[in-house]
Amino acid sequence: MSAAEAAARLRRDGPNALRGAARRSLLRVALDVAREPMFALLLGAGGLYLALGDLAEALLLLAFSFLSVGIAVAQEARTERALDALRDLSSPRALVVRDGVRQRIAGRDVVQGDLLLLAEGDRVPADARLVAAEELEIDESLLTGESLPVGKRAGGLDNAPASPRPGEDAAAVFSGSLVVRGTGEAIVHATGARTELGRIGTALGAIEREPPRLRAQTMAMVRSFAVLGLLASLLLALLYGLLRGDWLQAALGGIALAMAMLPEEFPLVLTVFAVMGARRIARAGVLLRQAAALQTLGATTVLCTDKTGTLTRNRMAVAAVLPDPPLDEAALLRLAAEACEDAPFDAMELALREAATAAVGDAVALRHYGLRPDLPAMGRAWAAGDGARLAAKGAPEAILRLCRVPPEQAARIAAAAAELAGQGLRVLGIAEAGLPGRKVLPVRLEEAGLGFRGLIGLADPLRPQVPEAAAECRAAGIRVVIVTGDHPDTARAIAAQAGLDTTPVVTGAELARLDAAGFAARATRAAILARVLPEQKLQLVQALKAAGAVVAMTGDGVNDAPALKAAHVGVAMGARGTDVAREAAAVVLLEDDFGAILRAIRLGRRIFDNLRKAMGYIVALHVPIAGMAFLPLAFGLPAVLGPLHIAFLELVVDPVCSLAFEAEPEEADVMRRPPEDPQARLLPPALLGWSLVQGLVAFATTGGVYLWAWRAGLPPEVLRSIAFTALVAALVALILVNRAFGASPREALARPNPVLLAVLGTVAALLAFVLAVPPAAALFRLDGFAAWHAGLALANGAAVLLLLEAAKRLLRGRLGR
């Protein structure tokens, strides 16, 4: 092909790359946040204060209104930057022939009709058909899940399948696969989205991603509280205006009550937990692409895991050595290493070289005998004194044929090879021949007079941390299902090594014969699904979700991507995973460490527990705030809380306090209890009721302090200062009460949490600022604060803490989680 024709085809077909996932613009994020009710209430209150001529308070309220917008935009930008940093910086390079000259070009510039030159270590840049091949083997595990390389041979361009699939055509090579042995020449017939890799990537666009469960529940609670709060505030404002005739004050009071009753902090707290949780889990080697995924991962009931590269290392290792006397294991391994290339790229040859304790040394290689289509065996001849010797390895049946072993011995060896294969091992036969001279070496292995020397079994070994992680899954009530394109015996052997269930085993061929109902019945009960196709992985996830499971799917290959996206939580392996898998997943493991999944689940459960504590605290917090906004307005007493005070409490003190809950240590039983019911509410009725009880107690004590101070005849500014500080002390007490589900005043105060100390210091500093700095005190209409007022506030907080910890003991076991 000429360079001009290649450029024309590149313009016509587009670059050889997959489309990136669509992203929300930062402007869209800001507009979404601006539609929230609290934003409108703050803008309305700011507008009223502008109408009253109070510019400072109006500007401060407007600043608060844009705070949540800024946080949301910053979080979105942080997530996308992290994803961009993870993606490969450039596409694979490709060696092509253009204008009769070999050229190394970027993979994205490959076009249909290009002649690709493939060699060991190359990543195939596009789907192509081989026109020449020499001992070519390709690792297609990213597409098929099969860990063993696939032998390839040249095929004609005539009568070639229009759209070959992996495993169907030995002359087809596919984008994303890796050349592990030999060389080849291939004509490109598909690029970009038209490749097999691109077909799977394009199919992801038709899959609906699971909406964030916690976000949906949170927004439902916000809407419910918003309707209740707005109705109450409108009713109160109408009554106040009709009875007292001050409609401007009625409007401000109504806005204050609506702000007090609207739990707008819920989404903000979710953002705080997402940011802090993402940082925390990143230290465990996990990247969150979706903020809500961590909590959903903690509720996982079924973990569907790929085998190759996830449970295993995707790197072959010697697992069994059976030498024939008089050889020992070391001698047989050395012989096998001598049959390998000097600088091997193939995974099996690397494993044999690594396992051989005695090096080949300074011996001189005289001849190489490569693999042939009719003989799956290879060998090398080496100088040995005045003569030579030949080491050979290959499929056991091929080696037995070369060695002309007697029938009884051949049957014994074949049975031993079958036993190793039944354990999921790749079995090689090893043979040797002594050659009398170096000048006339045999042309073919059949002419060497080989003698059988033994069998070697190789396996894709289990990752060392997997058994411990599997045991932890079992203790946590999480069912692990192996979903692989590999052989059933191989998958069963890996499951046994990992301590996972080994039955029932279902194959993709069995599932293909079933209708949708039969598929769901068989697949959802299986412990191992072997030889499955990508679309069957997707069907499995959908069937499990339909059965009520919370599904996490792990994988690293292109073939995993549809299931990764369809699962509640898709977990992609980062070091080896493809861009397609990463784009489809909600969670990316920065290191291919299966144990990191369990660390993520543990953190997810901890964060979910702490999120419930924070949400329960927010509900409790709104009761005394709403009560202190309602009490003076309803009975004609001096107002305590205006929109500015409520905005200060809910948008500054409250989110800062949420940091303390996020940093709380995990509960002792975090990985010894079943996963959350997928349909469970974020705040179960028992916990919601407990939160309301907390709020009523805090309102009763704070309202008591307020009424006492009012009856003492204190001026309105002093009365407001006392009530405001007493309310802040009660809110701090609610933080301490909600730190743990158990009842213990000592634990509430002494449980280690450095962030809590910083939070309490921040709250104290903020309160001191608005009380002691004259401009701030004037802005908040707080005046005349004295030292004994602080003692009164502390006493109010202590009363709330002691009363509620005592109530916890009475309600032990009924609070729910």
Side-chain angles (χ1 to χ4, degrees):
M1 181 183 297
S2 68
E5 176 62 20
R9 294 189 182 190
L10 186 62
R11 289 192 298 270
R12 181 192 69 191
D13 298 334
N16 179 36
L18 302 182
R19 292 192 183 95
R23 299 176 182 175
R24 287 197 306 168
S25 68
L26 298 185
L27 177 61
R28 175 63 183 271
V29 176
L31 291 175
D32 288 345
V33 177
R35 289 199 295 264
E36 299 295 340
M38 180 63 83
F39 188 83
L41 288 173
L42 287 167
L43 286 180
L48 286 174
Y49 276 108
L50 277 176
L52 291 171
D54 195 336
L55 181 61
E57 189 157 352
L59 291 177
L60 191 55
L61 283 169
L62 292 175
F64 281 141
S65 68
F66 287 102
L67 177 63
S68 58
V69 176
I71 291 176
V73 171
Q75 169 66 5
E76 187 85 5
R78 181 202 65 81
T79 301
E80 294 303 340
R81 282 198 303 270
L83 176 62
D84 290 340
L86 184 67
R87 292 177 59 87
D88 292 335
L89 297 178
S90 61
S91 61
R93 307 286 290 174
L95 185 62
V96 300
V97 177
R98 289 182 181 173
D99 293 322
V101 178
R102 297 185 176 198
Q103 300 180 27
R104 183 74 66 176
I105 64 173
R108 63 183 292 110
D109 294 335
V110 171
V111 299
Q112 184 178 355
D114 260 328
L115 176 62
L116 298 176
L117 304 181
L118 304 174
E120 283 188 9
D122 287 349
R123 183 75 66 179
V124 180
D127 287 5
R129 186 164 181 82
L130 290 165
V131 294
E134 183 176 351
E135 301 178 16
L136 185 64
E137 293 187 12
I138 292 183
D139 177 359
E140 296 179 347
S141 62
L142 292 179
L143 287 165
T144 65
E146 171 63 63
S147 59
L148 299 177
V150 180
K152 297 290 183 178
R153 63 174 183 270
L157 296 178
D158 297 333
N159 301 320
S163 300
R165 302 287 295 276
E168 294 179 355
D169 185 358
V173 293
F174 299 94
S175 176
S177 57
L178 181 68
V179 179
V180 297
R181 180 196 294 279
T183 60
E185 298 178 7
I187 301 294
V188 174
H189 64 76
T191 60
R194 294 171 293 279
T195 63
E196 179 68 12
L197 184 153
R199 185 187 66 81
I200 297 174
T202 302
L204 297 178
I207 300 173
E208 288 289 334
R209 194 186 290 279
E210 187 72 17
R213 186 171 62 96
L214 293 183
R215 177 70 63 179
Q217 289 191 25
T218 299
M219 296 314 298
M221 285 196 300
V222 170
R223 285 192 293 270
S224 299
F225 279 106
V227 171
L228 180 63
L230 291 174
L231 289 176
S233 62
L234 284 173
L235 179 61
L236 186 64
L238 285 172
L239 289 174
Y240 190 93
L242 291 171
L243 295 175
R244 293 179 171 80
D246 189 349
W247 288 100
L248 190 56
Q249 186 61 41
L252 284 172
I255 288 176
L257 183 60
M259 291 173 63
M261 296 187 69
L262 180 65
E264 183 67 15
E265 314 94 312
F266 279 170
L268 190 59
V269 168
L270 271 183
T271 302
V272 170
F273 268 69
V275 173
M276 300 304 295
R279 290 181 57 189
R280 190 179 302 280
I281 199 172
R283 292 196 290 269
V286 180
L287 173 68
L288 292 181
R289 292 195 64 241
Q290 297 171 21
L294 191 57
Q295 290 85 9
T296 310
L297 190 59
T300 296
T301 59
V302 178
L303 175 57
C304 297
T305 175
D306 185 32
K307 179 190 74 67
T308 304
T310 305
L311 293 175
T312 66
R313 296 180 176 181
N314 198 37
R315 183 170 61 86
M316 301 299 285
V318 172
V321 182
L322 302 179
D324 261 23
L327 267 64
D328 59 13
E329 291 187 5
L332 184 64
L333 286 169
R334 184 180 187 279
L335 190 61
E338 288 177 343
C340 299
E341 301 282 358
D342 287 330
F345 194 84
D346 177 74
M348 287 191 299
E349 293 202 344
L350 287 170
L352 292 171
R353 283 274 185 172
E354 184 178 336
T357 54
V360 174
D362 297 328
V364 177
L366 302 176
R367 182 163 187 162
H368 174 72
Y369 298 85
L371 292 169
R372 307 200 312 259
D374 61 326
L375 183 68
M378 63 178 295
R380 300 185 80 192
W382 296 85
D386 293 334
R389 58 190 179 81
L390 193 153
K393 63 179 176 65
E397 59 275 16
I399 293 296
L400 288 175
R401 191 166 69 247
L402 290 172
C403 294
R404 299 183 177 87
V405 176
E408 290 186 4
Q409 184 186 4
R412 175 179 58 81
I413 294 170
E419 183 178 351
L420 292 178
Q423 299 171 19
L425 304 182
R426 175 74 181 272
V427 186
L428 294 176
I430 309 299
E432 182 183 26
L435 304 175
R438 300 184 187 180
K439 293 184 180 179
V440 183
L441 295 175
V443 176
R444 295 158 58 90
L445 287 177
E446 290 90 338
E447 303 166 4
L450 290 164
F452 184 80
R453 294 296 181 263
L455 297 171
I456 293 178
L458 297 102
D460 185 3
L462 194 72
R463 293 182 181 275
Q465 68 276 13
V466 168
E468 181 181 352
E472 195 168 3
C473 278
R474 193 182 300 276
I478 301 169
R479 185 164 72 92
V480 179
V481 179
I482 296 178
V483 186
T484 179
D486 227 332
H487 191 278
D489 289 338
T490 305
R492 189 185 289 109
I494 288 296
Q497 295 172 35
L500 298 172
D501 292 336
T502 57
T503 58
V505 179
V506 182
T507 66
E510 295 174 45
L511 294 174
R513 295 192 290 267
L514 301 174
D515 58 16
F519 182 102
R522 289 289 303 278
T524 55
R525 290 197 296 268
I528 298 171
L529 290 98
R531 297 295 195 202
V532 296
L533 300 174
E535 52 267 30
Q536 290 176 325
K537 293 185 180 184
L538 175 60
Q539 282 180 273
L540 169 67
V541 170
Q542 292 169 335
L544 287 168
K545 288 167 64 177
V550 176
V551 184
M553 170 73 190
T554 73
D556 56 8
V558 174
N559 64 317
D560 299 323
L564 287 175
K565 185 172 182 180
H568 292 99
V569 182
V571 183
M573 296 302 197
R576 183 177 176 270
T578 60
D579 277 350
V580 174
R582 292 173 187 167
E583 288 282 359
V587 175
V588 178
L589 304 186
L590 301 182
E591 298 293 336
D592 289 351
D593 179 2
F594 184 78
I597 300 172
L598 268 294
R599 293 196 295 273
I601 290 175
R602 176 183 290 272
L603 281 170
R605 291 189 174 192
R606 166 186 165 174
I607 288 176
F608 189 72
D609 279 350
N610 290 342
L611 184 60
R612 274 190 165 166
K613 296 171 186 176
M615 294 300 191
Y617 161 73
I618 291 172
V619 171
L621 160 128
H622 277 271
V623 176
I625 293 178
M628 295 307 295
F630 172 81
L631 181 64
L633 197 63
F635 295 98
L637 302 176
V640 174
L641 301 178
L644 183 59
H645 302 93
I646 295 171
F648 175 82
L649 291 172
E650 296 190 4
L651 294 180
V652 177
V653 175
D654 186 25
V656 170
C657 293
S658 299
L659 297 175
F661 286 108
E662 193 282 329
E664 279 297 319
E666 64 191 39
E667 298 287 319
D669 65 343
V670 68
M671 291 299 284
R672 297 198 304 272
R673 63 175 189 253
E676 273 298 322
D677 181 347
Q679 304 303 320
R681 297 179 183 178
L682 179 58
L683 280 180
L687 191 56
L688 180 60
W690 168 238
S691 298
L692 293 174
V693 168
Q694 294 179 59
L696 289 172
V697 170
F699 171 53
T701 60
T702 306
V705 170
Y706 168 78
L707 292 174
W708 172 84
W710 172 70
R711 289 180 64 86
L714 296 175
E717 292 78 8
V718 177
L719 179 60
R720 186 179 295 110
S721 298
I722 293 174
F724 186 71
T725 52
L727 177 59
V728 171
L731 301 184
V732 171
L734 292 179
I735 296 175
L736 301 177
V737 169
N738 284 282
R739 294 188 65 199
F741 292 116
S744 170
R746 202 184 76 155
E747 185 178 7
L749 292 170
R751 196 177 191 199
N753 185 345
V755 176
L756 177 63
L757 298 178
V759 163
L760 295 179
T762 302
V763 171
L766 288 171
L767 186 58
F769 176 79
V770 299
L771 290 171
V773 178
L779 190 62
F780 279 79
R781 294 180 173 83
L782 302 175
D783 196 10
F785 186 78
W788 69 271
H789 298 163
L792 191 61
L794 291 174
N796 185 56
V800 172
L801 175 63
L802 294 174
L803 286 170
L804 291 175
E805 288 295 334
K808 267 189 188 179
R809 291 185 178 274
L810 296 175
L811 298 173
R812 183 175 297 175
R814 302 179 190 174
L815 298 183
R817 297 188 199 181

